[in-house]
Every structure is written in structure tokens, then in C-alpha cells.
Amino acid sequence: MLGLLRPYPSPLLSPRGLDVDFPLLAGCLALLGLGLVMITSASSEVSSVQSGNPWYFMVRHLIYLLIGLGACAVVLMVPIATWQRMGGTLLLGAFGVLVLVLVPGVGREVNGSMRWIGFGAFNVQPSEIAKVFVVAYLAGYLVRREDEVRHRWIGFIKPIVVLIPLAGLLLMEPDFGATVVMLGSAAAMLFLGGVGLLRFALLASAAVAAVVVLVQTQEYRLQRLITFTDPWADQFGSGYQLTQALIAFGRGQWLGVGLGNSVQKQFYLPEAHTDFVFSVLAEELGMVGALATLGLFAFVCVRSLYIGLWAEKAKLYFSAYVAYGLAFLWIGQFLINIGVNVGLLPTKGLTLPFLSYGGSSLVICCVSLGLLLRLDWERRRLERGESLEAPAGNSKEASHDL
């Protein structure tokens, strides 16, 4: 395999060795390592009861992590031009997986939501895949239709027409959180792509109106909003998750109760290793650990935005928009999950990037990392005047080896 890949320039196989943006890589690896530690701690009690093995979820998370790192390495080998060329195919793929999950017998229902496609003991969450595919498609659209997007209404309306059916499919699962993250990231990309303030303001107004309608048309969403304003009014009912999360923050104080010593993870806090892993982290590592984690997340997200800015300055607009889109996917998911954990937002099932247990989310985060590292490497290589193509002589050698 390496013999086939060696002739082709990549961050993994270059004369400079591993030629990647090490600050971003180090930040993401630190989050992945912290996530593995916290999953091991937060899931130990649940694992013991459900499977008789306190390491069950840790082992599964480690498998997902290895798959994710392998996927990241593969993405590092794929030229960004390939992603740009396949934008339409990726959009169809996004529609395909979101339709497939709704097909009876194919989609798997968990906790009342049809969000997963089952493959034996593993589940795949199509919404995670679709979000990245939409970013790649929209980045290509913003490059192809730059003049329309900046100066004409039709250039602004076309992507909205594409995004509405995708949002509808997500809401049918239902997955309100993924819908908000996807549309929010798309809106940010459109704004950075040159959409005027008037059109953007209209889009924001329409989005707020849509959220109000969606909340009022579903009783459980309205109940969550009511509970969010005063969770202690029904602390053993609809406000149970939030009150237990707040108790975890209170017990952690400044320095925490110590790694592995959380009380809330012992069946008080539901989904302690998935949606509410940050609450367990705050309890065990305290306010200092929680703030350090927030700082690490902020660094990773800001670094990703800077990678997009550097690409834009180099006139690599597709790479810039992809970087912006991926960064806003992380930012949106991060803000919603943390907001839910600390009681600033209504309870919503959305994983914390890099930290929460969940195979699809973890693998897609690693794929996104690979994309960011690849596009930044291509920018730096082009700025040095180096080619991204394989040397002609090496191509023949590769064919001979094959």
C-alpha cells in the first residue's frame, strides 16, 4: 500500500517527514486523549451493570478512536481537488444516507429517535456524515457561483432550496440539534462567501421564525423549553437531567473530587458518557479542569478559522470555505453541548466533539481534522512553489509495482 502511495505528495509521505499543522494536530490529539480518559471514568459504572465489564465502553471508544485516526490518515492522502470535483456526488450522498436511515428495517431506533443505521454491534449516524458532505458541496458552490452569491438573489436562494429538504429529513428522525448545527454552519459559510447583510438578515429572521414554529408544533420541545427556564420546578421529572448536571458542577468546585471519583456518574446523571460527559469532567477535575478544556476547544476552533483565513489570503477559496464550514460545525456542536450541560440551553442530545462517546461523531471529527490538515498542507506547499502532482517518472514506477 505504501509503495502505491509513496510517489504522490502528501503530508504523511513528504521529504519533510510529517508535514502538518502541529498546533492543530496537538490540540485535537489532546482532546482525543482527554476524551478517552473521561469516557473510561464516566462509563465504568454503567459498563459494569450492562455488560459485567467496567471497560466495555472504553474498549469500544478506543476502537472508534483507532478507526477515526485511520480515516484521518486516509483523508490526508486525498487531494482537496477531489473533494471539490465530487461536490455534487457528496450532496447526493448526504440525501441518500438521510433517506436511508428513515427506511423501516434499515434505520435503528434508539431513545425514540430514528438516527442510526445498524451494522451488527455498531451504529452509524448519517447526520454526522451529511454535515461534512454539505460543507464540501456548499464550499464548491460558493466558488463556482461567486458573482451570483455576492450580487444576485438567485445565488442566495439556490443553496437555501437545497438545504431545506436536508433539514426536513433531519427533523423527521427527529434530530433538531444536528439541523441547527448544519444550518448554522451553512449560514456562516454564506455570510463569509459574500452574501449581503440585508439578505443575511432575512435568512436569520426566517431561521428564528422557523425555530419558534418548530418548538410550538412539538409538545416535547415546548416542554423542554419550559423546563429549561426552571429545572428545579420538576427536578425528578422533565428537569432531572439538567438538575443532576448542575449538581455535578457544584460538587466539582475549583479542583474537583478527583479522577474516577464522580458520584453523579453512578446512575444519577443519564447519558453520563455521551451528552453529559462535560458535567462528569467538571465534577472530577473541577472548575480549573473545565476551563482548561474550554480553552483547548477554543484554541482548536480558532486555529481552524485561521487555517481558513490563510487559505483565503492565498486565493484558495474552496479550501477556505471548507475550513470555515468545518470550524463552525465544531463551534456549533461545542456551544450547544456545553450550553446544555451548564443550563444555558434546553436539553438537546448532541455529542461534544472529540470528547463524547459515539463512534460516528468521533470518526467524523477525525475526518474533519484530516481535511483541515490536508488543505493547510496544500496551501503551504503551493506558497513554496512546489507541485501537488505526482512526478511522471514515479507514476510509471507505481504502475510497475501494481
Side-chain angles (χ1 to χ4, degrees):
M1 182 66 176
L2 289 177
L4 293 175
L5 295 175
R6 190 174 292 113
Y8 298 91
S10 80
L12 296 178
L13 302 169
S14 73
R16 298 171 180 267
L18 183 61
D19 187 15
V20 297
D21 185 83
F22 281 102
L24 178 63
L25 178 62
C28 290
L29 289 179
L31 287 173
L32 290 171
L34 179 61
L36 180 61
V37 171
M38 292 313 306
I39 294 303
T40 303
S41 175
S43 67
S44 58
E45 300 296 330
V46 176
S47 297
S48 297
V49 171
Q50 293 186 358
S51 66
N53 177 11
W55 313 112
Y56 175 76
F57 285 112
M58 184 274 286
V59 171
R60 287 175 64 91
H61 188 78
L62 183 58
I63 292 172
Y64 291 138
L65 178 56
L66 293 175
I67 293 173
L69 292 176
C72 177
V74 171
V75 171
L76 280 170
M77 309 296 291
V78 180
I80 295 300
T82 301
W83 289 86
Q84 185 172 3
R85 185 171 61 251
M86 296 182 62
T89 303
L90 294 177
L91 179 65
L92 292 177
F95 274 106
V97 294
L98 292 180
V99 169
L100 195 61
V101 74
L102 299 174
V103 176
V106 177
R108 180 175 292 181
E109 185 174 343
V110 179
N111 295 332
S113 298
M114 191 79 76
R115 301 179 186 176
W116 292 267
I117 297 175
F119 293 94
F122 297 93
N123 294 327
V124 174
Q125 192 168 2
S127 61
E128 297 290 340
I129 302 172
K131 286 185 291 189
V132 174
F133 285 3
V134 167
V135 166
Y137 164 77
L138 190 55
Y141 174 82
L142 290 173
V143 173
R144 293 191 309 273
R145 305 291 183 179
E146 179 182 3
D147 184 68
E148 281 188 5
V149 170
R150 291 177 180 271
H151 304 111
R152 298 173 59 188
W153 280 93
I154 189 65
F156 169 68
I157 293 172
K158 283 179 182 177
I160 303 301
V161 171
V162 172
L163 290 171
I164 288 176
L166 284 168
L169 289 171
L170 285 171
L171 291 173
M172 289 173 67
E173 295 182 6
D175 195 344
F176 188 68
T179 306
V180 171
V181 170
M182 184 190 73
L183 294 180
S185 178
M189 291 176 68
L190 287 170
F191 181 72
L192 293 172
V195 171
L197 284 176
L198 174 60
R199 285 173 287 168
F200 190 78
L202 291 175
L203 174 63
S205 301
V208 171
V211 168
V212 172
V213 171
L214 289 171
V215 168
Q216 292 182 341
T217 54
Q218 293 290 338
E219 180 63 29
Y220 77 94
R221 292 190 186 120
L222 185 59
Q223 186 59 44
R224 282 182 178 179
L225 187 61
I226 295 172
T227 301
F228 152 73
T229 58
D230 185 13
W232 301 100
D234 189 14
Q235 66 183 81
F236 297 110
S238 56
Y240 182 76
Q241 284 181 305
L242 180 52
T243 55
Q244 295 303 314
L246 294 176
I247 290 172
F249 279 93
R251 292 194 73 253
Q253 299 187 29
W254 284 104
L255 299 177
V257 297
L259 190 63
N261 294 327
S262 168
V263 172
Q264 293 304 102
K265 70 181 182 182
Q266 299 178 16
F267 307 102
Y268 292 102
L269 183 60
E271 311 294 341
H273 59 297
T274 55
D275 300 343
F276 287 91
V277 68
F278 188 74
S279 297
V280 177
L281 183 149
E283 183 182 2
E284 294 188 349
L285 304 183
M287 183 62 71
V288 173
L291 290 176
T293 303
L294 292 178
L296 193 54
F297 266 113
F299 170 77
V300 166
C301 292
V302 171
R303 186 73 180 184
S304 302
L305 290 172
Y306 265 104
I307 286 176
L309 178 62
W310 294 330
E312 187 173 2
K313 288 182 177 179
K315 300 188 184 305
L316 299 173
Y317 296 111
F318 177 80
S319 294
Y321 295 139
V322 168
Y324 292 145
L326 295 177
F328 279 109
L329 285 180
W330 288 353
I331 291 170
Q333 218 162 315
F334 161 70
L335 290 177
I336 291 175
N337 183 277
I338 299 297
V340 167
N341 274 255
V342 301
L344 294 176
L345 293 172
T347 303
K348 192 77 216 75
L350 206 62
T351 56
L352 186 60
F354 296 104
L355 256 72
S356 293
Y357 175 81
S360 298
S361 175
L362 189 63
V363 171
I364 292 301
C365 281
C366 291
V367 168
S368 301
L369 171 61
L371 258 172
L372 287 165
L373 294 176
R374 173 76 196 199
L375 63 87
D376 182 67
W377 173 79
E378 288 194 6
R379 173 192 63 82
R380 289 185 286 108
R381 190 175 177 88
L382 289 173
E383 287 180 346
R384 294 194 297 261
E386 300 173 1
S387 174
L388 298 176
E389 301 296 328
N394 286 343
S395 297
K396 293 179 180 179
E397 183 181 338
S399 298
H400 177 72
D401 290 344
L402 182 61

